[in-house]
Amino acid sequence: MIFNVDKETLPRDELAALQLTRLKNQCERVYANVPFYRKAFDDMGIKPGIVNSLEDLPRLPFTEKQDLRNGYPYKMFAVPIDTIVRLHASSGTTGKSTVVGYTKRDLDNWAELMARSLSAAGLSSSDFIHNAYGYGLFTGGLGVHYGAERLGATVIPISGGGSKRQAELLRDFGATGMTCTPSYALYLYEVAYDMGIDIRELPLRVGVFGAEPWTEEMRAEIERKLGITALNIYGLSEIMGPGVAQECAESKCGMHIFEDHFLPEIIDPVTGASLPPGAVGELVITTLTKEAIPLIRYRTRDLCSLDLTPCVCGRTHARITRILGRSDDMLIIRGVNVFPQQIEAILVEMEGISPHYEIEVKREGTLDALEIMVEFSEAMFQSDEIRHIQKREKSLQKSIKDYLGVTAKVRLVEPQSLKRFEGKASRVRDLRKKE
């Protein structure tokens, strides 16, 4: 179902005209109100008036996450601080936090976009939504919360943690929709199963999952274990939070990016050159309506492609394909580029293997060494197949070598022996950085 038919089904030519008007306005605003952008424009010898068509977008400067960190806390704001009604911030685990602010209109737009997202997933005012994204400075919980209320649904603001209680409330409150990270959905299934609760027998029918890259194979695993439709949502704190793009229930093939608010590009992550629709590269987003912190050509570091083909759902907004990984998460193993999601896709396809794994990279002498620890399933652990573990390890090693071109040591470990995550899953330990 479509929440805002007028905007989500705009003909492409009308959508482009709206984007151009908003892009011109944003360029004028940031040049007048944000010293960083005034300097960036001046250093390139350009003025906001350079934008006369959407084809002029590549002539504008990029914005990097480090620019937001350098502007900590309020130097990137384009409005007076007394017009800010809410602040969110990243965790700052890889550097100084990035702080994002919202005006009242920003929050109103965010609620609208999250309502669009949940509606695209097949949820409506009659649904009960179990919101297991974290509340607080993280944008996930509150973003979903206000979007669900805008939709008219009943929100269960459970937040993160307390997994046993979450399993109980899924059963007792009869939630029909759930929002969390995909890895947490699988963990919650395990917790509930150990408590004698089979989520497949509950009213739950839709899961909206994001905040970390996940594969089609993990989708199939979630849908099989939980008995639900699992859909992908995309967002990032710097741009707005969740609700930048959403997969529709009709196609389950790419996430509609709400182009009346966000102008997407795909670039070569090395050269910065623009790439055509269908080409895989780094997603770059320009905010068209954000008041507090408007961003011009923000480099997300997320790798995907743009799909402009018509969708069966009727939405005219472009789709971004499933996020393949991040350009800064890429591992280079003996000259070969490897993304954790590629390894996950191979692991999940093998029978008797769970989707819980950990990747360790270290240096042995002068060479890089890759070791993958992955849990085998309870069924395999309890059967005679336990005797064939070594054979399965070798089979996985061969698959990784065949598909990715790298040699990896695979070690199968007992069920539930690897760390579980209630927020974003952290799968990789790169010990080379500590040497």
Side-chain angles (χ1 to χ4, degrees), residues 161-175:
S163 299
K164 289 185 177 180
R165 178 161 174 76
Q166 294 221 21
E168 290 175 347
L169 294 185
L170 273 175
R171 177 194 62 199
D172 297 346
F173 287 3

Side-chain angles (χ1 to χ4, degrees), residues 17-36:
L18 177 63
Q19 289 176 323
L20 180 58
T21 298
R22 289 179 169 179
L23 176 61
K24 287 180 175 181
N25 291 339
Q26 284 293 52
C27 287
E28 295 286 352
R29 287 188 65 241
V30 298
Y31 189 83
N33 298 305
V34 185
F36 165 80

Side-chain angles (χ1 to χ4, degrees), residues 66 87 141 273 411:
Q66 189 59 45
L87 293 173
R411 183 152 55 92

